[in-house]
Amino acid sequence: MSEFRKDPLSDHWVIIAPNRAERPEQFEIGSSKRTPGRCPFCRGHEEDTPEQTAAYDASGKMIEQGAWQIRVIPNKYPAVENVRQSRPARNDFFETRHGVGIHEVIIECPDHVTAFSQLNDQQAALVFRAYRDRMAHWRGDPRLAYAQIFKNSGASAGASLEHAHSQLIATPVVPTQLETELHRSAEYFQLHRRCVFCEMVDRELKEESRLITQTEDFVAFCPFASQFPYEMWVLPRQHSSHFEFAEDGKLAGLAAVVRDLVGRVEYLLNEPGFNYLIHTSPFGSTHLRHYHWHVEIFPRVSRTAGFEWGAGDYINIVTPEQAAAMLRSAQMP
Ligand SMILES: [Zn+2]
Ligand SMILES: [Zn+2]
Ligand SMILES: [Zn+2]
């Protein structure tokens, strides 16, 4: 059974989820080498996982059975539990909530492909459409306030299985990081009557030094105050607050950009693990003028050490300008 606990000093929520400790580790401890064994995510091994909550065929149509291209299943070792909402509990000091929520795995392809960059454009587009559809689905659930889509790729990035997959964790609380971005962007809007993310896109396009790539609909750059070496953000050029309202065509374009960026990182940095995540508006809203959804990508090439743990601020040894220059020139083989 899991539980949300609020830290009385930082206001951070912590999910205490002891059953996650039981999940199998497919990678050898301390290495990226996989131990041999049957992959539960491959087509034909469906009985190794919980029953699917959704599946899509190659055209992106939702299917009940037959040849799936994307398969969504409940996480076998969930961080939060799909049970009835219970009242928040608070004694005179500690604040807790029952760990209600949704934890899903999105299996990105039926064959044993281990790198997102190895999916073709059509497969990658289906992955991002599945993200949107799952988010749109859970949006209607009154227990939930937010859904975080994320991908852990490689043992160093926290993946326990290598078959290409992503996850969704939907929670009754808005995560701390999101709260901070919402709060700051609302303040900026109050002051300047403009979305801070739209401003960021304009500035990066103008300054060019941190730009990596751009398309008709998206701009990718290393953010001005990147916390990590080679950190990359992808933003829609047009103001858009909710990822779950994005159209198919836009998502195909986004998937191609993310795949391109991940490919550049793999080529440039010898295939490090990486995480990416989607930040978007909370479920309780339909249009926000101050918030703008985006994708953040973090190659795992540095370690978080004592200073960062203590300060919550980061030391980044690669300038974002230098990182962007290298990423711009990275040629895919
Ligand atoms: Zn597999
Ligand atoms: Zn905007
Ligand atoms: Zn963000």
Side-chain angles (χ1 to χ4, degrees):
M1 177 175 145
S2 56
E3 184 175 84
F4 289 91
R5 295 188 179 183
K6 192 163 213 174
D7 181 279
L9 283 175
S10 67
D11 251 15
H12 277 226
W13 286 104
V14 176
I15 304 176
I16 308 290
N19 75 333
R20 291 277 292 158
E22 289 156 25
R23 72 198 170 129
E25 198 50 61
Q26 204 182 43
F27 294 102
E28 286 173 17
I29 301 288
S31 106
S32 60
K33 235 176 75 200
R34 189 167 88 84
T35 51
R38 183 179 152 104
C39 171
F41 291 171
C42 279
R43 182 189 282 156
H45 297 175
E46 288 82 0
E47 73 271 21
D48 294 6
T49 63
E51 208 167 311
Q52 71 196 31
T53 46
Y56 303 87
D57 69 9
S59 71
K61 209 175 86 211
M62 213 158 167
I63 51 169
E64 295 285 330
Q65 53 197 7
W68 55 270
Q69 194 62 42
I70 305 260
R71 186 164 178 261
V72 184
I73 55 172
N75 195 304
K76 205 168 175 179
Y77 304 91
V80 285
E81 295 158 321
N82 189 358
V83 291
R84 266 186 51 209
Q85 178 83 291
S86 60
R87 283 238 197 103
R90 186 180 198 148
N91 69 14
D92 55 354
F93 189 67
F94 292 117
E95 185 178 349
T96 61
R97 270 168 184 255
H98 188 187
V100 173
I102 303 299
H103 191 168
E104 288 184 326
V105 176
I106 296 146
I107 303 169
E108 297 170 8
C109 52
D111 305 319
H112 195 75
V113 172
T114 58
F116 181 72
S117 60
Q118 280 165 24
L119 299 180
N120 64 35
D121 275 341
Q122 197 201 353
Q123 285 176 312
L126 286 180
V127 171
F128 276 76
R129 278 165 66 174
Y131 294 165
R132 177 205 53 201
D133 287 1
R134 294 318 288 164
M135 210 179 260
H137 174 81
W138 291 117
R139 181 182 167 82
D141 190 319
R143 297 169 300 173
L144 304 171
Y146 188 75
Q148 175 77 65
I149 298 272
F150 61 99
K151 181 178 181 65
N152 304 334
S153 179
S156 65
S160 54
L161 292 170
E162 65 169 20
H163 188 125
H165 69 284
S166 315
Q167 301 181 61
L168 173 150
I169 293 185
T171 51
V173 298
V174 176
T176 313
Q177 191 83 17
L178 227 285
E179 277 291 9
T180 306
E181 287 191 5
L182 284 164
H183 181 74
R184 276 293 305 142
S185 58
E187 267 180 2
Y188 188 92
F189 194 89
Q190 272 283 324
L191 219 59
H192 304 278
R193 309 312 295 172
R194 181 145 209 244
C195 161
V196 64
F197 296 93
C198 286
E199 183 70 36
M200 219 181 270
V201 167
D202 284 358
R203 301 262 175 168
E204 295 300 347
L205 284 170
K206 202 165 139 225
E207 289 199 18
E208 290 185 337
S209 59
R210 287 175 297 273
L211 265 188
I212 307 165
T213 184
Q214 53 175 310
T215 63
E216 200 185 315
D217 294 322
F218 294 95
V219 177
F221 55 85
C222 294
F224 174 70
S226 296
Q227 294 184 321
F228 301 97
Y230 307 97
E231 179 178 337
M232 300 175 284
W233 288 14
V234 186
L235 272 74
R237 277 177 196 263
Q238 280 217 335
H239 183 75
S240 168
S241 56
H242 288 69
F243 174 79
E244 64 266 38
F245 301 151
E247 301 147 20
D248 287 358
K250 287 253 160 61
L251 292 175
L254 174 65
V257 170
V258 171
R259 200 168 66 94
D260 170 35
L261 294 174
V262 167
R264 287 174 197 243
V265 161
E266 286 172 347
Y267 175 72
L268 192 66
L269 304 169
N270 196 20
E271 302 184 11
F274 67 88
N275 304 97
Y276 68 62
L277 56 91
I278 299 169
H279 272 162
T280 181
S281 299
F283 287 158
S285 54
T286 49
H287 176 72
L288 297 177
R289 285 193 295 171
H290 64 86
Y291 197 76
H292 190 132
W293 68 261
H294 54 278
V295 178
E296 301 184 12
I297 308 170
F298 303 97
R300 298 293 286 252
V301 292
S302 64
R303 282 189 200 197
T304 306
F307 175 78
E308 286 84 358
W309 287 116
D313 299 320
Y314 289 78
I315 300 170
N316 179 354
I317 59 165
V318 181
T319 71
E321 293 76 18
Q322 195 183 357
M326 288 173 74
L327 288 162
R328 271 197 304 272
S329 65
Q331 293 293 319
M332 300 272 274

